[in-house]
């Protein structure tokens, strides 16, 4: 399952005590269904904010976001949470696994939240796909960084989301482990046919994506 992603005329500023922090100024982008987009740009340029907008966790001050036929601005927060649980997978730089749940618990949770049957079996087969069938009952603290990120990838993909977002998913891994985790991510992406939007610092990663944009000074530049 895949979906198109379209953002048009997006403005975003965060209000703070010392005035508004402008992050996006009339930004637009388009990704066809099933394709890959890399977002690069300096720290603080708004890459994470862009992913938050695409997941409906942040709302723009102006502009429209369409994921497939779904207009995010037209949904209230309950509808957005429901939409996310069915259609969206997110992989963070710092894994964000729940420390009190095993690898299996972390991966089956999204399925349980979405009320799907056979959550456990599906989670086990997804953990097998990322090479962790021998770590099902381990807690995050008992796993290496690379293993934790593989659990996070399994969790993001287990409910077969049509849109997969990655926020510097290899940023906390050593180079060798990072390479392996990325290969795995691209392999799984190919099989899943989801649309992939990836924030990365790494030029070599960006080169593996079909589309590339650079963020700077509130603008998006196609490269
Ligand atoms: N909740 C917030 N409130 C105020 N300012 C924020 C908030 N989140 C991010 N910012 C600011 O917005 C800018 C973009 O942040 P971010 O999207 O995290 O950038 P990046 O991911 O590219 O490093 C930064 O200047 C950051 O300090
Ligand atoms: Mg960021």
């Amino acid at each position: 399952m895949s979906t198109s992603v379209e953002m048009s005329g997006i403005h975003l500023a965060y209000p703070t005590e010392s005035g508004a922090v402008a992050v996006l100024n009339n930004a637009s982008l388009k990704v066809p269904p099933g394709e890959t987009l890399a977002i690069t740009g300096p720290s603080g340029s708004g890459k994470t904010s862009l992913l938050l907008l695409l997941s409906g966790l942040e709302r723009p001050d102006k502009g429209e976001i369409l994921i497939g036929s779904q207009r995010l601005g037209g949904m209230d927060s309950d509808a957005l949470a429901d939409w996310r649980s069915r259609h969206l997978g997110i992989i963070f730089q710092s894994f964000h696994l729940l420390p009190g749940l095993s690898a299996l618990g972390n991966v089956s949770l999204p399925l349980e939240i979405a009320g799907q049957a056979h959550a456990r079996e599906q989670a086990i087969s997804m953990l097998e796909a990322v090479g962790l069938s021998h770590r099902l009952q381990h807690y995050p603290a008992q796993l290496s960084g690379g293993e934790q990120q593989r659990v996070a990838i399994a969790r993001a993909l287990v409910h077969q989301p049509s849109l997969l977002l990655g926020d510097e998913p290899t940023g906390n891994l050593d180079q060798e482990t990072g390479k392996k985790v990325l290969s795995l991510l691209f392999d799984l992406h190919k099989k899943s046919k989801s649309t992939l939007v990836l924030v990365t610092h790494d030029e070599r990663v960006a080169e593996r994506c079909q589309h590339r944009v650079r963020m700077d000074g509130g603008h998006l530049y196609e490269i």
Side-chain angles (χ1 to χ4, degrees):
M1 251 205 320
S2 59
T3 187
S4 58
V5 173
E6 198 168 346
M7 259 180 43
S8 52
I10 295 291
H11 291 257
L12 174 71
Y14 292 113
T16 70
E17 282 169 14
S18 44
V21 178
V23 179
L24 285 165
N25 181 13
N26 198 22
S28 300
L29 67 78
K30 216 170 178 175
V31 193
E35 299 196 356
T36 48
L37 169 75
I39 302 169
T40 55
S43 178
S45 59
K47 304 182 296 299
T48 295
S49 302
L50 186 71
L51 294 188
L52 292 175
L53 288 168
L54 291 179
S55 52
L57 290 164
E58 193 67 68
R59 291 190 188 263
D61 299 315
K62 212 174 135 188
E64 200 152 74
I65 301 169
L66 269 171
I67 312 290
S69 58
Q70 205 52 266
R71 200 170 57 81
L72 298 193
M75 289 194 269
D76 64 18
S77 56
D78 284 350
L80 278 169
D82 181 59
W83 170 78
R84 268 193 300 275
S85 75
R86 286 182 291 121
H87 297 291
L88 191 72
I90 312 182
I91 308 162
F92 301 94
Q93 174 173 0
S94 44
F95 322 137
H96 283 304
L97 298 174
L98 293 172
L101 292 181
S102 65
L104 181 55
N106 269 281
V107 178
S108 53
L109 190 64
L111 297 171
E112 284 159 14
I113 289 172
Q116 287 190 27
H118 313 299
R120 192 183 150 85
E121 290 77 9
Q122 284 186 62
I124 290 174
S125 85
M126 196 66 225
L127 280 160
E128 275 167 10
V130 301
L132 287 178
S133 45
H134 59 308
R135 293 282 184 268
L136 301 181
Q137 303 302 340
H138 281 56
Y139 288 88
Q142 300 169 323
L143 298 168
S144 71
E147 287 172 337
Q148 288 183 53
Q149 196 57 307
R150 283 192 275 156
V151 174
I153 290 173
R155 177 184 59 183
L157 281 166
V158 73
H159 58 307
Q160 299 176 309
S162 47
L163 176 60
L164 180 61
L165 306 176
D167 196 354
E168 305 189 41
T170 57
N172 276 333
L173 303 175
D174 64 71
Q175 220 178 356
E176 196 53 36
T177 309
K179 251 192 205 164
K180 285 185 191 153
V181 165
L182 273 171
S183 296
L184 175 72
L185 179 59
F186 279 100
D187 281 354
L188 292 172
H189 163 259
K190 235 186 230 166
K191 286 183 197 142
S192 74
K193 300 185 174 59
S194 58
T195 307
L196 174 66
V197 176
L198 198 59
V199 165
T200 180
H201 269 122
D202 191 334
E203 276 300 310
R204 286 163 307 176
V205 175
E207 279 168 9
R208 294 175 71 164
C209 293
Q210 290 156 301
H211 306 275
R212 293 173 63 178
V213 292
R214 181 175 164 78
M215 291 194 75
D216 213 349
H219 299 286
L220 286 178
Y221 303 93
E222 282 187 37
I223 44 178

